[in-house]
Amino acid sequence: MAAEATEERRWTARFPRMSGRGLIMGLGKAQLASIGIAFLCLIAAFMTQLWAFFGILLAVSLALVPTWFTGRPMILWAPLLGQWFLRMARGQTKYRVRPLAPRPVGTLGLPGDAARLRVLTDDLTGAGLVHDPRSRTLTAIARVEPLDSFALAEGTHQDVVAGGWGSLLSSFCRDTSNGISRVGVLLRAVSDGGEEINNWFQAHGTADVSQAAYEAYEDYLANTRTDSIRHEAFVTISLNMKANGVATLIRQAGGGVAGGAEIMRARMDFVRGKFTEAALRFQSWAGADDVAVLPRTAYDPDAQPVLESHPDVGRSLAGAGPMALDESFTYFRTEAGYQRVLLVVEWPRKPTTAGFLQQLVVAQVRHTFALICEPIPTRKAMAQARRSSTQAETSRQWEQKSGAVDSVERKRERAALAQEESALEAGHGSLNYAGLVSVSGRTLDELRVATEDVRTAASQSGCELRIIGGEQASAFIAAALPFGRGL
């Protein structure tokens, strides 16, 4: 992603397309391996005269090479489809709660491999840290809100805010000893039952002006619920407890998850201090009760107003997930409705300014947008950039020898790689990032309408969304819950 100043002193960014360069003539490793298998099948057929058997293998191998649909070679779909059919055969696409089955204390009642997640409460900060015992990570969740309206701010102020957020992310790339392996941003559009208005009225309302008006407005708030949408924002940081240097610090702090929580506390203080530079107001660290409510309202969005009006209900970790879940290839169903997850496969191709995602974020449909970032250490990023530049130049020389035309897309790709190297040399950081969007509907028709609405909003932001296939249930954990999960 390259940035440059415009005549209005605005900074713009251009996102490069996903590379389709491959090793030879645009073919990747899997495609070349499939062609090699087809060639061996042809030789074996000549030697054994078993044309029927090896002919079928030859046809299948060659059929997996082209890109038939969705811009992805069929050979790359094979593992995903195989895993999907294996999960169906084992019954892993269905989930049912077993009320009488014992559950370890502190674990979340979520489907799939997310059931292993545990919640540890930090006594000093009150934060509910999400612990993944398999990957050995600790995740802290910060609830934030903007200091002022980003959309209404002047362009130069938007650039300053974007620069402050970029500085925070870049610091994780330069300092590899901090152990932060993933940074996430989750924006939720949820149903607003009017609880904030009701609480404000209870705190500030008075009958001094008119007793009748006070009683009428009090009755109105008590007997009605609004059907509006409000937005919530969360920032998550994940500490890799196995990272070099971090494991030693954890042992010095007492070891185990408790030692990891003490090391995590310093990272939490650092991130909290950086929020002001990104024009964010820190509200609180999500506690264990908040961690339990987040999946409850994600799987059942209609429960949001009810849980807000009854703060003592729905805070059980064991009851955080759905009661039942049936996963299909492109969506899944719970007792509350239908859910679907989409991936941002194309970011804006034209130079764009900060705030280009506004149309997608404020779309008037219940949805979530998750931006998952994984900092790359500077040395590793520079090595990757040099390797990519070498591969691009080698591919260009090969295409020249074969008589292929050097396309505009290839030229832009090489220019983007050169600019990435220059940015890294200048001290900027590099990230692996992905954007996920989840939508919900009470019926399948509502889900289709919501899907088209977010796709339209994404196109207005210069992005393209595609439905994730075969991984909907696990992708939903990453897209709708701020638990520091990736794909």
Side-chain angles (χ1 to χ4, degrees), residues 60-326:
V60 172
S61 299
L62 293 179
L64 294 176
V65 175
T67 301
W68 294 107
F69 58 94
T70 70
R72 193 176 186 180
M74 285 298 298
I75 187 65
L76 298 182
W77 278 101
L80 178 61
L81 293 174
Q83 183 184 23
W84 168 254
F85 287 118
L86 181 62
R87 290 176 56 213
M88 287 185 63
R90 293 178 175 177
Q92 295 178 348
T93 58
K94 297 182 182 297
Y95 168 79
R96 299 292 185 272
V97 169
R98 294 181 295 173
L100 300 181
R103 174 176 291 277
V105 177
T107 57
L108 288 163
L110 298 177
D113 62 350
R116 67 174 184 259
L117 298 180
R118 304 172 57 192
V119 179
L120 168 72
T121 300
D122 182 32
D123 295 333
L124 294 182
T125 62
L129 304 179
V130 181
H131 176 228
D132 189 337
R134 180 174 298 179
S135 61
R136 295 200 61 192
T137 59
L138 274 179
T139 300
I141 308 168
R143 187 187 297 269
V144 298
E145 63 179 2
L147 289 174
D148 48 26
S149 176
F150 183 85
L152 300 179
E154 296 183 356
T156 53
H157 179 68
Q158 290 184 355
D159 292 342
V160 171
V161 172
W165 176 249
S167 176
L168 171 62
L169 295 178
S170 181
S171 64
F172 295 132
C173 300
R174 291 191 299 268
D175 185 7
T176 58
S177 62
N178 55 38
I180 299 300
S181 60
R182 187 173 291 140
V183 181
V185 178
L186 180 71
L187 304 175
R188 300 205 310 172
V190 298
S191 299
D192 186 2
E195 289 305 316
E196 292 186 5
I197 298 176
N198 195 16
N199 293 336
W200 189 94
F201 180 76
Q202 295 296 332
H204 301 87
T206 177
D208 295 341
V209 178
S210 173
Q211 181 69 29
Y214 177 84
E215 293 178 353
Y217 196 68
E218 186 179 32
D219 292 339
Y220 173 78
L221 291 178
N223 299 317
T224 60
R225 288 280 182 238
T226 63
D227 195 22
S228 60
I229 290 178
R230 77 170 190 272
H231 294 84
E232 297 177 343
F234 302 89
V235 176
T236 64
I237 55 172
S238 297
L239 175 69
N240 182 7
M241 299 171 65
K242 300 179 296 183
N244 294 332
V246 176
T248 303
L249 294 176
I250 291 176
R251 286 194 298 269
Q252 294 174 354
V257 181
E262 183 174 343
I263 302 304
M264 184 64 163
R265 202 174 299 132
R267 277 66 175 168
M268 293 162 62
D269 292 339
F270 171 76
V271 172
R272 180 176 178 177
K274 287 286 187 177
F275 282 153
T276 305
E277 298 180 13
L280 293 175
R281 179 183 292 111
F282 173 81
Q283 292 182 298
S284 65
W285 295 108
D289 291 347
D290 299 322
V291 174
V293 171
L294 285 171
R296 181 75 175 87
T297 55
Y299 284 102
D300 185 6
D302 291 331
Q304 181 92 19
V306 178
L307 294 178
E308 288 182 349
S309 60
H310 300 85
D312 298 329
V313 178
R315 268 62 181 174
S316 170
L317 295 175
M323 297 296 293
L325 186 147
D326 290 338

Side-chain angles (χ1 to χ4, degrees), residues 413-455:
E413 183 180 351
R414 291 195 298 271
L417 290 173
Q419 197 158 11
E420 180 182 359
E421 277 195 83
S422 300
L424 291 171
E425 291 288 350
H428 295 279
S430 181
L431 301 165
N432 289 326
Y433 58 92
L436 296 171
V437 178
S438 70
V439 292
S440 62
R442 298 179 182 88
T443 65
L444 199 55
D445 289 335
E446 285 189 13
L447 183 67
R448 294 191 185 102
V449 173
T451 301
E452 293 305 316
D453 287 344
V454 296
R455 276 180 162 171

